[in-house]
Amino acid sequence: MDQVDEILSQWHRERPDLDVGPMGLLGRLARLYSHLTRAVEKTLADYGLNAASFDVLATLRRSGAPYALSPSALMATAMVTSGTMTNRIDQLEKTGLIKRQANPDDGRSTLIALTQQGHALVEAAVSAHVANQHRLTECLSAAEKQQLNALLATFLARFES
Amino acid sequence: MDQVDEILSQWHRERPDLDVGPMGLLGRLARLYSHLTRAVEKTLADYGLNAASFDVLATLRRSGAPYALSPSALMATAMVTSGTMTNRIDQLEKTGLIKRQANPDDGRSTLIALTQQGHALVEAAVSAHVANQHRLTECLSAAEKQQLNALLATFLARFES
DNA sequence: GGGTAATATCTTGACGTCAAGATAATTGCT
DNA sequence: AGCAATTATCTTGACGTCAAGATATTACCC
């Protein structure tokens, strides 16, 4: 009987006509997301980053040399609007972790590239981040992690595919 | 090979020293949350609400008559700070869906109560919201829903208990 | 080639959230 | 009773996000 069960129990008392099964599932997912986000940001804060800025640096890093992508490509993987990405890029450029370069092939576009400083920072941050992710999920057995991951993949396919 | 797998594959190529298993799980959870939040807000928008304002109205509604709770109680279930809850209450009070009442037992506190208008709105909105939640989860079988819910409950217990 | 449509990014204004501190009332200890 | 600590809420300033529109460049087609 956790906090989500308590919510479902209240709805059952007040609105017995509602089938709140899915609400339990989605409620747990939302609360879990909230806890996880806070925990992740706590670790990234040690590197002067938040989830948003880390996401940009990490996307550039894992894209491989020369560690440069267009704002559009960054928007797509981050699932944010153009205005949001412009703001993220502005902030990271101010702190010298990335730089805007002209795109020689398309005058409408620019290329966002990791600076030496940005590369070094994300290299350290991603190691700490991955270690933190292990710590956060170690409450689940290997089988549970595998099972949960598979179910999330099935669910996610509803929205991406 | 979905979009999350693509990310893991990139990391494997660039940083083979990292064990990115947990990153896949947490990444899917985050992307799923993003899709679900957007879908939920779309439905609530038909009632002039967003997830934040609906959350307050729904918490009051399911608490039962007289549909009144303190800001602190609302903060606890919503997992937000006092400043956030003050702002939510301000907005809902402006639109006449809730009203602040003095708490006769504690002069520091107030009671947030549903107005007649707020009660009527949340009554309709929660029906649509629950129907939408069914629609969003119908890609999963009953067994998958049950299994996923159980795993999320186990995971969530790491943070709440 | 010239003009319309499509694409890529940036700008603006509004909103929700948080951290830190301010204000006010209550509780507990002596 | 009186005073310090605690509790409950509100205030302030900053940040990240979005929707809608603006600007500039490229692509397409007649």
Side-chain angles (χ1 to χ4, degrees):
Chain A
M1 190 67 177
D2 63 8
Q3 303 186 48
V4 175
D5 282 327
E6 174 62 29
I7 290 172
L8 301 187
S9 156
Q10 287 186 319
W11 278 123
H12 185 67
R13 172 166 48 78
E14 294 292 321
R15 286 287 302 268
D17 61 306
L18 298 178
D19 173 7
V20 288
M23 186 187 285
L25 196 163
L26 298 178
R28 289 195 166 89
L29 198 147
R31 293 180 76 92
L32 203 41
Y33 175 80
S34 173
H35 289 294
L36 289 168
T37 297
R38 283 166 166 76
V40 164
E41 298 233 329
K42 215 167 189 175
T43 292
L44 295 178
D46 295 341
Y47 298 87
L49 301 172
N50 59 21
S53 53
F54 174 76
D55 191 43
V56 173
L57 299 183
T59 302
L60 293 171
R61 173 61 187 85
R62 70 172 188 259
S63 74
Y67 311 116
L69 294 170
S70 69
S72 291
L74 292 169
M75 286 164 51
T77 70
M79 300 198 301
V80 297
T81 62
S82 62
T84 297
M85 189 51 69
T86 297
N87 184 49
R88 288 186 182 185
I89 292 168
D90 285 348
Q91 302 313 313
L92 286 168
E93 194 174 34
K94 265 183 210 160
T95 57
L97 299 173
I98 62 172
K99 54 175 182 273
R100 280 183 169 92
Q101 302 176 332
N103 184 339
D105 298 335
D106 190 335
R108 296 168 298 182
S109 175
T110 61
L111 283 178
I112 312 303
L114 279 182
T115 61
Q116 224 175 13
Q117 202 185 343
H119 188 284
L121 184 65
V122 72
E123 207 70 1
V126 72
S127 293
H129 176 58
V130 167
N132 187 41
Q133 288 182 319
H134 275 86
R135 192 178 60 77
L136 290 170
T137 53
E138 72 189 357
C139 60
L140 299 172
S141 72
E144 285 173 331
K145 278 198 275 272
Q146 189 279 329
Q147 212 175 16
L148 178 54
N149 187 47
L151 287 164
L152 291 174
T154 301
F155 201 172
L156 188 57
R158 184 200 187 289
F159 301 97
E160 305 179 353
S161 57
Chain B
M1 192 67 175
D2 63 8
Q3 305 186 45
V4 175
D5 281 327
E6 174 62 28
I7 290 172
L8 301 188
S9 156
Q10 289 187 317
W11 277 124
H12 185 67
R13 171 167 48 80
E14 293 294 320
R15 285 286 302 264
D17 60 306
L18 297 177
D19 172 7
V20 288
M23 186 187 285
L25 196 163
L26 298 178
R28 289 195 165 89
L29 198 147
R31 293 181 77 94
L32 201 42
Y33 174 81
S34 174
H35 289 295
L36 289 168
T37 297
R38 282 166 166 76
V40 164
E41 298 232 330
K42 214 167 190 174
T43 293
L44 295 177
D46 295 341
Y47 298 87
L49 300 173
N50 58 20
S53 53
F54 173 77
D55 190 44
V56 173
L57 298 181
T59 302
L60 293 171
R61 173 62 187 84
R62 70 172 188 260
S63 74
Y67 311 115
L69 293 171
S70 68
S72 290
L74 292 169
M75 285 164 51
T77 71
M79 300 198 301
V80 297
T81 62
S82 61
T84 298
M85 189 51 68
T86 296
N87 184 50
R88 288 186 182 185
I89 292 167
D90 285 348
Q91 302 312 313
L92 286 168
E93 193 175 33
K94 265 183 206 158
T95 57
L97 299 173
I98 62 171
K99 55 174 183 276
R100 280 184 168 92
Q101 301 176 334
N103 184 338
D105 297 336
D106 190 333
R108 295 168 299 181
S109 173
T110 61
L111 283 177
I112 311 303
L114 278 182
T115 62
Q116 224 174 11
Q117 202 184 342
H119 188 282
L121 183 66
V122 73
E123 207 71 0
V126 73
S127 292
H129 176 60
V130 167
N132 187 41
Q133 289 183 317
H134 274 86
R135 192 179 60 76
L136 290 170
T137 55
E138 74 189 358
C139 60
L140 299 173
S141 72
E144 285 174 329
K145 278 199 274 273
Q146 189 277 327
Q147 212 175 17
L148 178 53
N149 186 47
L151 286 165
L152 291 175
T154 300
F155 201 171
L156 189 56
R158 183 199 187 287
F159 300 97
E160 305 180 351
S161 57

Coordinates of all heavy atoms in Angstrom, one line a residue, chain A residues 56 82-100 112, chain C residues 9-12, chain D residues 16-17:
Chain A
V56 N 22.8 17.8 -24.3 CA 23.4 18.4 -25.6 C 24.9 17.9 -25.7 O 25.3 17.4 -26.7 CB 23.4 19.9 -25.6 CG1 24.1 20.5 -26.7 CG2 21.9 20.4 -25.6
S82 N 12.6 24.2 -31.2 CA 13.7 25.0 -31.7 C 14.1 26.1 -30.7 O 15.3 26.3 -30.5 CB 13.4 25.6 -33.0 OG 12.3 26.5 -33.0
G83 N 13.1 26.7 -30.1 CA 13.4 27.8 -29.1 C 14.2 27.3 -27.9 O 15.1 27.9 -27.4
T84 N 13.8 26.1 -27.5 CA 14.5 25.5 -26.3 C 15.9 25.2 -26.7 O 16.8 25.5 -25.9 CB 13.8 24.2 -25.9 OG1 12.4 24.5 -25.5 CG2 14.5 23.5 -24.8
M85 N 16.1 24.6 -27.9 CA 17.5 24.3 -28.3 C 18.3 25.5 -28.5 O 19.5 25.5 -28.1 CB 17.4 23.4 -29.5 CG 18.8 22.8 -29.9 SD 19.6 21.9 -28.5 CE 18.6 20.5 -28.3
T86 N 17.8 26.5 -29.1 CA 18.5 27.8 -29.2 C 19.0 28.3 -27.9 O 20.1 28.7 -27.7 CB 17.6 28.9 -29.9 OG1 17.3 28.5 -31.2 CG2 18.3 30.2 -29.9
N87 N 18.1 28.2 -26.9 CA 18.5 28.7 -25.5 C 19.6 27.8 -24.9 O 20.5 28.3 -24.3 CB 17.2 28.6 -24.6 CG 17.5 29.2 -23.3 OD1 18.1 30.3 -23.1 ND2 17.1 28.4 -22.2
R88 N 19.4 26.5 -25.1 CA 20.5 25.6 -24.6 C 21.8 25.9 -25.2 O 22.9 26.0 -24.5 CB 20.1 24.1 -24.8 CG 19.0 23.6 -24.0 CD 18.8 22.1 -24.3 NE 17.7 21.5 -23.5 CZ 17.3 20.3 -23.5 NH1 18.1 19.4 -24.2 NH2 16.3 19.8 -22.8
I89 N 21.8 26.1 -26.5 CA 23.1 26.3 -27.2 C 23.7 27.7 -26.8 O 24.9 27.8 -26.6 CB 22.8 26.3 -28.7 CG1 22.4 24.9 -29.2 CG2 24.0 26.8 -29.5 CD1 21.9 24.8 -30.6
D90 N 22.8 28.7 -26.6 CA 23.3 30.0 -26.2 C 24.0 29.9 -24.8 O 25.1 30.4 -24.7 CB 22.1 31.0 -26.0 CG 21.5 31.5 -27.3 OD1 22.2 31.3 -28.3 OD2 20.4 32.1 -27.3
Q91 N 23.4 29.1 -23.9 CA 24.0 29.0 -22.6 C 25.3 28.3 -22.6 O 26.3 28.7 -22.0 CB 23.1 28.3 -21.6 CG 21.7 29.0 -21.5 CD 21.8 30.5 -21.2 OE1 22.6 30.9 -20.4 NE2 21.0 31.3 -22.0
L92 N 25.4 27.2 -23.4 CA 26.6 26.4 -23.5 C 27.7 27.1 -24.2 O 28.9 26.9 -23.9 CB 26.3 25.0 -24.1 CG 25.5 24.0 -23.3 CD1 25.0 22.9 -24.1 CD2 26.4 23.5 -22.1
E93 N 27.3 27.9 -25.2 CA 28.3 28.7 -25.9 C 28.9 29.8 -25.0 O 30.1 30.0 -25.0 CB 27.7 29.4 -27.1 CG 28.7 29.9 -28.1 CD 28.0 30.4 -29.4 OE1 26.9 31.0 -29.3 OE2 28.6 30.3 -30.5
K94 N 28.1 30.4 -24.2 CA 28.6 31.4 -23.2 C 29.6 30.8 -22.3 O 30.6 31.5 -21.9 CB 27.4 31.9 -22.4 CG 26.7 33.2 -22.9 CD 25.6 33.7 -21.9 CE 24.6 34.4 -22.7 NZ 23.3 34.5 -21.9
T95 N 29.4 29.6 -21.8 CA 30.4 29.0 -20.9 C 31.5 28.3 -21.6 O 32.4 27.7 -21.0 CB 29.6 28.0 -20.0 OG1 29.0 27.0 -20.8 CG2 28.6 28.6 -19.1
G96 N 31.5 28.4 -23.0 CA 32.7 27.9 -23.7 C 32.7 26.4 -23.9 O 33.8 25.9 -24.3
L97 N 31.6 25.7 -23.7 CA 31.7 24.3 -23.8 C 31.4 23.8 -25.2 O 31.7 22.7 -25.6 CB 30.7 23.6 -22.8 CG 31.0 23.9 -21.3 CD1 29.9 23.4 -20.4 CD2 32.3 23.3 -20.9
I98 N 30.7 24.7 -26.0 CA 30.5 24.4 -27.4 C 30.7 25.6 -28.2 O 30.8 26.7 -27.6 CB 29.0 23.9 -27.7 CG1 28.0 25.0 -27.3 CG2 28.7 22.6 -26.9 CD1 26.6 24.8 -27.7
K99 N 30.8 25.5 -29.5 CA 30.9 26.7 -30.3 C 30.0 26.5 -31.6 O 29.9 25.4 -32.1 CB 32.4 27.0 -30.7 CG 33.1 25.9 -31.4 CD 34.5 26.3 -31.8 CE 35.3 25.2 -32.5 NZ 36.0 24.4 -31.6
R100 N 29.5 27.6 -32.1 CA 28.7 27.6 -33.3 C 29.7 27.8 -34.5 O 30.5 28.7 -34.5 CB 27.7 28.8 -33.3 CG 26.4 28.5 -32.5 CD 25.5 29.7 -32.7 NE 24.1 29.5 -32.2 CZ 23.7 29.8 -31.0 NH1 24.5 30.3 -30.1 NH2 22.4 29.6 -30.7
I112 N 27.0 22.8 -34.4 CA 27.3 23.0 -33.0 C 28.4 22.0 -32.7 O 28.2 20.7 -32.8 CB 26.1 22.7 -32.1 CG1 24.9 23.5 -32.6 CG2 26.4 23.1 -30.7 CD1 25.1 25.0 -32.7
Chain C
dT9 P 19.3 24.0 -38.0 OP1 20.7 23.7 -37.9 OP2 18.3 23.0 -37.5 O5' 19.1 25.4 -37.3 C5' 19.8 26.5 -37.8 C4' 19.2 27.8 -37.3 O4' 17.8 27.9 -37.7 C3' 19.2 28.0 -35.8 O3' 20.1 29.0 -35.5 C2' 17.7 28.4 -35.5 C1' 17.2 28.8 -36.9 N1 15.7 28.6 -37.0 C2 14.9 29.7 -37.2 O2 15.3 30.8 -37.3 N3 13.6 29.4 -37.3 C4 12.9 28.2 -37.3 O4 11.7 28.1 -37.5 C5 13.8 27.1 -37.1 C7 13.3 25.7 -37.1 C6 15.1 27.3 -37.0
dC10 P 20.4 29.4 -34.0 OP1 21.8 29.9 -33.9 OP2 19.9 28.4 -33.0 O5' 19.4 30.7 -33.9 C5' 19.5 31.7 -34.8 C4' 18.5 32.8 -34.5 O4' 17.2 32.2 -34.9 C3' 18.4 33.3 -33.1 O3' 18.4 34.7 -33.1 C2' 17.0 32.7 -32.6 C1' 16.2 32.6 -33.9 N1 15.1 31.6 -33.9 C2 13.8 32.0 -34.1 O2 13.6 33.2 -34.3 N3 12.8 31.1 -34.2 C4 13.1 29.8 -33.9 N4 12.1 28.9 -34.0 C5 14.5 29.4 -33.7 C6 15.4 30.3 -33.7
dT11 P 18.3 35.5 -31.8 OP1 19.1 36.8 -31.9 OP2 18.6 34.6 -30.6 O5' 16.8 35.9 -31.7 C5' 16.2 36.7 -32.7 C4' 14.8 37.1 -32.3 O4' 13.8 36.0 -32.4 C3' 14.6 37.6 -30.9 O3' 13.9 38.9 -31.0 C2' 13.9 36.6 -30.2 C1' 13.1 35.9 -31.3 N1 12.8 34.4 -31.1 C2 11.5 34.0 -31.2 O2 10.5 34.8 -31.4 N3 11.3 32.7 -31.0 C4 12.3 31.7 -30.8 O4 12.0 30.5 -30.6 C5 13.6 32.2 -30.6 C7 14.8 31.3 -30.3 C6 13.8 33.6 -30.8
dT12 P 13.8 39.8 -29.7 OP1 13.8 41.2 -30.2 OP2 14.8 39.4 -28.7 O5' 12.3 39.5 -29.1 C5' 11.2 39.5 -30.1 C4' 10.0 39.0 -29.4 O4' 10.0 37.5 -29.4 C3' 9.8 39.4 -27.9 O3' 8.6 40.1 -27.8 C2' 9.8 38.1 -27.1 C1' 9.4 37.1 -28.2 N1 9.9 35.7 -28.0 C2 9.1 34.6 -28.2 O2 7.9 34.8 -28.5 N3 9.7 33.4 -28.0 C4 11.0 33.1 -27.7 O4 11.4 32.0 -27.6 C5 11.8 34.3 -27.5 C7 13.3 34.1 -27.2 C6 11.3 35.5 -27.7
Chain D
dG16 P 18.8 27.0 -17.4 OP1 19.9 26.0 -17.1 OP2 19.0 28.1 -18.3 O5' 17.5 26.2 -17.9 C5' 17.0 25.1 -17.1 C4' 15.7 24.6 -17.7 O4' 14.7 25.6 -17.5 C3' 15.8 24.4 -19.2 O3' 15.2 23.1 -19.5 C2' 15.1 25.6 -19.8 C1' 14.1 25.9 -18.8 N9 13.7 27.3 -18.7 C8 14.5 28.4 -18.8 N7 13.8 29.6 -18.7 C5 12.5 29.2 -18.6 C6 11.3 30.0 -18.4 O6 11.2 31.2 -18.4 N1 10.2 29.2 -18.3 C2 10.2 27.8 -18.3 N2 9.0 27.3 -18.1 N3 11.3 27.1 -18.4 C4 12.4 27.8 -18.6
dT17 P 15.1 22.6 -21.0 OP1 15.1 21.1 -20.9 OP2 16.0 23.3 -21.8 O5' 13.6 23.0 -21.5 C5' 12.5 22.4 -20.8 C4' 11.2 23.1 -21.3 O4' 11.2 24.5 -20.9 C3' 11.0 23.1 -22.8 O3' 10.2 22.1 -23.2 C2' 10.4 24.5 -23.1 C1' 10.4 25.2 -21.7 N1 10.8 26.6 -21.8 C2 9.9 27.6 -21.7 O2 8.7 27.4 -21.5 N3 10.4 28.9 -21.7 C4 11.7 29.3 -21.9 O4 12.1 30.4 -21.9 C5 12.6 28.2 -22.0 C7 14.1 28.4 -22.2 C6 12.1 26.9 -22.0

